[in-house]
Amino acid sequence: MVTIRDIAQRLGIAVSTVSKGLNGAPDVSAETRQLVLDTAVEMGYAAKRARRQAQPKVCVLVENMEYANIGQFGYEIVAGFRLAAAARGWAVDVLPTTPEAQARTKYGSLLLEGGYGGAFILGLTPQDAYMRALAGTGTPTVLLDNCVPNASVGYVGTDSWEGVELGMRHLAGLGHRKIAFLNGTRDSMVSEERRLAFLHATWLCGLSADERMMAYGYYEQNCAREYVPHFLAQGATAILCASDGIARGVLAELRRLGLRVPGDVSVMGYDDLPLAAGCEPPLTTIRQDRLALGKSAFSLLDSLMNGVAVSKVLLRPQLIVRESTGPAPVRK
């Protein structure tokens, strides 16, 4: 196991200087303190330090995801993570982050200073500094719906290929031959997976792929006004959406256009957020078990903290059929 003496020997400085750097003593320069922190992280000192605490702790880093209220996507994920951590005696701190905060404090330094044995990261983009840092980190880390080729980093998610196929087979089974796909954010791993899954499921259902029936909606409800009229012009009778929020926007746009759901157009969401059942009509959707995602994330992180290099954990989705999907309309 790495000790303060090992860090001091690597840097060629006194053990007392390393100790002061690790503990934020005022008589150590900022440059020396950062050098000590970086070296300690590189040598794997952080995990040992975290486990020496009376109650070891991990953190959840969150950006671009709402999690404070029960109806928000991240709420149950964080709750599940907390439950699994508490069962194993770990405390959890939830830390919102921003690009500005990431520019001020390096990823490894943040975890070492906070005494965290590892982290679960939600909502970061590939452009974020902490995401870039994960390629070389030795700190156990779990990502949601994102992948970094590093033995210290794993990811948890719901099988997008199976989820999209469930939705497509449901719609095709209702007679829909022109199915549009309103995806999430461009350049994200899960959006690319779902795009490929949509093309594959289209083929499995014996349908013809049409790039004009696909678009990126950036998980924004108001994107429906831009894309729904375009899909309808291509003859779409059903629209599969990458989130329930997008689907709610699609329902509103179809109402504005004077079209009936599902009489004229069927609509399907993704996630099964609480809002899905309250839509008018209630939304057919693909359920992600977000509580189980959070629990699985801690189990994966626990494995990584114990030296077991797990790459990924994928949960199974579930088709939830409600009233927003129905037989394809007969058009002359």
Side-chain angles (χ1 to χ4, degrees):
M1 296 292 290
V2 178
T3 67
I4 291 180
R5 188 174 301 279
D6 295 326
I7 299 170
Q9 185 175 2
R10 166 79 71 87
L11 294 174
I13 60 178
V15 171
S16 59
T17 303
V18 173
S19 179
K20 289 177 180 180
L22 291 172
N23 292 290
D27 56 340
V28 174
S29 69
E31 293 78 9
T32 299
R33 178 169 175 271
Q34 190 62 60
L35 180 61
V36 168
L37 290 171
D38 290 347
T39 304
V41 170
E42 178 188 341
M43 296 179 69
Y45 179 76
K48 178 187 175 184
R49 190 183 195 198
R51 289 184 179 276
R52 284 208 311 261
Q53 300 177 108
Q55 183 179 26
K57 59 181 179 176
V58 291
C59 67
V60 180
L61 288 170
V62 188
E63 184 186 11
N64 303 314
M65 184 181 293
E66 296 178 323
Y67 64 92
N69 300 316
I70 195 167
Q72 296 171 335
F73 181 80
Y75 180 87
E76 287 185 289
I77 295 175
V78 173
F81 188 84
R82 285 186 183 277
L83 285 170
R88 292 171 175 81
W90 287 78
V92 177
D93 289 342
V94 180
L95 309 175
T97 187
T98 63
E100 294 74 21
Q102 294 170 41
R104 289 193 301 269
T105 306
K106 293 183 178 180
Y107 176 66
S109 298
L110 175 72
L111 269 64
L112 179 57
E113 290 180 282
Y116 301 116
F120 179 31
I121 295 181
L122 301 173
L124 268 66
T125 69
Q127 291 73 40
D128 280 300
Y130 284 1
M131 283 294 293
R132 296 195 300 272
L134 293 180
T137 191
T139 302
T141 304
V142 172
L143 296 167
L144 175 71
D145 287 337
N146 227 318
C147 181
V148 171
N150 180 339
S152 297
V153 182
Y155 86 86
V156 65
T158 302
D159 191 335
S160 292
W161 289 79
E162 183 176 357
V164 172
E165 183 181 336
L166 284 171
M168 288 293 288
R169 287 193 182 279
H170 171 67
L171 293 170
L174 291 169
H176 295 278
R177 313 304 291 173
K178 292 279 190 175
I179 303 171
F181 180 46
L182 192 45
N183 203 351
T185 302
R186 186 186 295 272
D187 298 327
S188 81
M189 186 192 82
V190 72
S191 293
E192 178 61 11
E193 280 188 349
R194 290 179 184 174
R195 185 186 74 84
L196 294 174
F198 177 76
L199 292 172
H200 183 64
T202 298
W203 174 76
L204 288 176
C205 293
L207 307 178
S208 299
D210 185 345
E211 291 287 343
R212 296 173 301 173
M213 300 284 276
M214 303 167 63
Y216 291 98
Y218 296 94
Y219 294 111
E220 294 181 2
Q221 184 171 320
N222 59 10
C223 70
R225 286 214 170 193
E226 178 178 357
Y227 295 113
V228 168
H230 170 75
F231 291 152
L232 296 175
Q234 308 309 315
T237 63
I239 302 174
L240 172 61
C241 304
S243 77
D244 294 335
I246 293 175
R248 181 165 60 177
V250 169
L251 292 174
E253 177 63 9
L254 291 170
R255 281 196 298 271
R256 188 184 74 83
L257 295 172
L259 296 173
R260 299 167 300 140
V261 177
D264 296 313
V265 183
S266 287
V267 179
M268 179 179 291
Y270 210 107
D271 296 330
D272 197 27
L273 293 174
L275 67 88
C279 285
E280 183 54 47
L283 189 64
T284 295
T285 187
I286 305 298
R287 174 178 292 165
Q288 296 195 75
D289 188 333
R290 294 178 300 284
L291 196 67
L293 276 173
K295 291 178 178 179
S296 298
F298 182 80
S299 295
L300 176 51
L301 183 59
D302 191 47
S303 295
L304 294 172
M305 291 189 296
N306 283 287
V308 181
V310 180
S311 172
K312 62 183 176 182
V313 173
L314 288 182
L315 304 187
R316 306 204 76 142
Q318 181 183 0
L319 174 65
I320 306 297
V321 178
R322 297 193 179 99
E323 297 167 29
S324 67
T325 52
V330 177
R331 293 181 177 174
K332 297 180 180 179

